[in-house]
Amino acid sequence: MAEVAAIRHIRLTDFRSYASLNLELRGQPVVLSGPNGSGKTNLLEALSMLSAGRGMRRARLGEIARQNGRGGWTVTALLSGALDESQLGVGVEAGSPEKRVVRIDGASAPGPATLLEYLSFQWLTPAQDRLFMEGAAERRRFLDRMVLSHDPTHGKSAATYEKAMRQRTKLLEDLPRADQTLLGILERQMAEAGVAMAAARREMTSRLAAGADQLNNAAFPAADLALEGALEEALSVESAGDVEEAYEKRLKDGRWRDAAAGRALEGPHRSDLFVMHREKQQAARLCSTGEQKALLIGLVLANATAIAANDSRVPLILLLDEVAAHLDAHRRAALFDILHETGMQAFMTGTDADLFEAWGNRAEHLDVRDSTISGSL
């Protein structure tokens, strides 16, 4: 396996609880232990801002700046591989708290999507422990984050679709006087981008199935996946071109219906991911809390295994917040072994350093106290 690029340096300014941080790393997996409220999750969130989207907490950019700080914030990371290194930076200025500035090697970049050319992130947080019990939106975001680790263009498709859908919804408020030509253009954009999204999600479920087969670890049960959505289901039996044409026609025919509802009633924004415990043949939402956690981790590991097997050019960084808290010793050891085998860098948090003892010297252990980080005691 080729050497995987890793984050070797992190610098924060006025981010959440950090007035400043200048952290050198060895490129190994990183364990951050310390009491609640010490700044562990804030560091993971800072790293997650080096990606497309709103980060692992989905916070507004203006809410992230440190209280009593100067109003802006910055996150910079040095990504180092076998042959080269890149400095990636994001932040907002005090006068423009909702405008994210992106820099690559010191030069301005067009936007956050550019970062996907350098690295991608997958995260697990305690809030996701109820992923199989909550609404479909969270499962879509979870799956789409995985898709981005393989296909950076998925973010562009999603952005195009969302923008066209918002503009169409606004126009539909003025039926029948709305510009019919513009409506047709927007519906065509929705059809093209929406089918691309659905196709990418279908391909991702296939990758996850292959990754689960390669993983084949009893500590984390394999999952069978199904996508529930009109476009995804149509793509299983029709060509992408035919599905686009049919969806565009349904959008046109459904204008009055969507106008009355105030939103588009069909499309990839309403799709869902169905997950089943393979061995038990039981829906994930009906499994125990422990089994749901294991299934969730298993999906992340299946994706990591699939990426490692393909020697992806773009490294995947894992952000695992409180990942070990509800795992028994056997599953913790299995998790660390699998992560080690993938060669990927993972950042893990926990209140108890003993939970990560099985890592040994394969990981860098750091202690976090009052947003100050030092070598673990």
Side-chain angles (χ1 to χ4, degrees):
M1 183 187 300
E3 180 182 341
V4 179
I7 293 174
R8 301 296 294 265
H9 180 236
I10 303 169
R11 179 173 296 178
L12 308 183
T13 303
D14 284 335
F15 188 96
R16 296 285 192 190
S17 58
Y18 290 91
S20 65
L21 176 70
N22 193 7
L23 181 63
E24 296 284 348
L25 298 170
R26 299 198 294 260
Q28 293 177 291
V30 177
V31 171
L32 301 163
S33 59
N36 291 328
S38 59
K40 305 184 301 296
T41 302
N42 288 346
L43 179 56
L44 265 58
E45 182 188 18
L47 290 172
S48 76
M49 300 309 296
L50 293 166
S51 66
R54 293 169 56 185
M56 60 185 275
R57 279 178 168 146
R58 294 186 55 77
R60 294 175 60 89
L61 297 176
E63 298 173 350
I64 294 173
R66 184 174 63 92
Q67 291 186 8
N68 302 319
R70 291 168 292 182
W73 56 267
T74 60
V75 176
T76 305
L78 180 67
L79 183 70
S80 180
L83 301 178
D84 58 7
E85 60 183 31
S86 301
Q87 188 176 72
L88 312 175
V90 297
V92 301
E93 298 177 355
S96 304
E98 293 300 332
K99 180 181 179 181
R100 178 158 45 169
V101 177
V102 179
R103 293 187 178 276
I104 307 294
D105 294 326
S108 296
T114 310
L115 295 163
L116 293 170
E117 300 174 12
Y118 294 84
L119 80 173
S120 62
F121 290 92
Q122 182 74 47
W123 49 76
L124 281 180
T125 68
Q128 289 174 304
D129 287 352
R130 290 185 55 82
L131 185 76
F132 304 124
M133 307 295 291
E134 302 292 352
E138 288 301 322
R139 287 186 289 277
R140 285 195 300 272
R141 278 193 282 268
F142 177 76
L143 180 63
D144 285 343
R145 175 60 52 187
M146 288 188 174
V147 176
L148 285 172
S149 65
H150 295 267
D151 180 9
T153 65
H154 184 65
K156 182 178 180 180
S157 296
T160 298
Y161 179 85
E162 292 288 340
K163 181 179 180 180
M165 182 172 62
R166 286 195 305 269
Q167 292 176 336
R168 175 179 179 267
T169 298
K170 184 66 176 176
L171 280 176
L172 291 179
E173 294 176 1
D174 197 31
L175 281 180
R177 295 183 299 275
D179 186 328
Q180 303 296 303
T181 299
L182 181 54
L183 276 172
I185 293 172
L186 294 172
E187 287 160 356
R188 183 60 191 165
Q189 290 177 349
M190 287 178 65
E192 291 176 349
V195 171
M197 290 172 64
R201 288 170 177 171
R202 278 176 49 81
E203 187 173 353
M204 187 67 238
T205 59
S206 296
R207 286 194 179 103
L208 287 173
D213 290 340
Q214 290 173 314
L215 183 61
N216 192 27
N217 190 298
F220 298 98
D224 288 325
L225 308 175
L227 285 165
E228 299 178 340
L231 299 186
E232 290 86 353
E233 292 168 10
L235 283 169
S236 67
V237 294
E238 300 177 56
S239 70
D242 288 343
V243 176
E244 282 183 19
E245 185 177 345
Y247 180 41
E248 183 180 1
K249 184 178 185 302
R250 289 198 302 276
L251 287 170
K252 181 178 180 179
D253 294 343
R255 288 174 183 174
W256 282 102
R257 177 199 63 183
D258 290 350
R263 64 188 188 279
L265 294 176
E266 180 187 333
H269 64 289
R270 295 178 63 86
S271 299
D272 197 358
L273 175 67
F274 180 77
V275 180
M276 177 174 286
H277 190 299
R278 180 180 296 176
E279 182 180 356
K280 292 189 172 184
Q281 284 298 289
Q282 183 178 49
R285 61 183 176 81
L286 300 177
C287 292
S288 70
T289 301
E291 287 174 328
Q292 289 185 18
K293 181 78 170 185
L295 281 166
L296 190 59
I297 294 174
L299 289 174
V300 172
L301 294 176
N303 185 36
T305 300
I307 290 176
N310 293 329
D311 285 331
S312 173
R313 180 181 64 86
V314 177
L316 174 66
I317 308 292
L318 300 175
L319 307 177
L320 307 175
D321 195 19
E322 299 289 347
V323 69
H326 301 295
L327 299 180
D328 59 31
H330 171 68
R331 277 186 169 153
R332 289 199 302 272
L335 171 62
F336 304 155
D337 287 344
I338 294 167
L339 291 174
H340 176 70
E341 289 168 8
T342 69
M344 293 177 183
Q345 191 177 32
F347 290 77
M348 296 155 283
T349 70
T351 55
D352 187 354
D354 291 342
L355 292 175
F356 302 96
E357 185 178 1
W359 264 115
N361 61 9
R362 297 176 299 173
E364 187 169 2
H365 298 258
L366 301 175
D367 188 72
V368 187
R369 307 276 166 168
D370 297 323
S371 299
T372 299
I373 301 178
S374 60
S376 184
L377 299 178

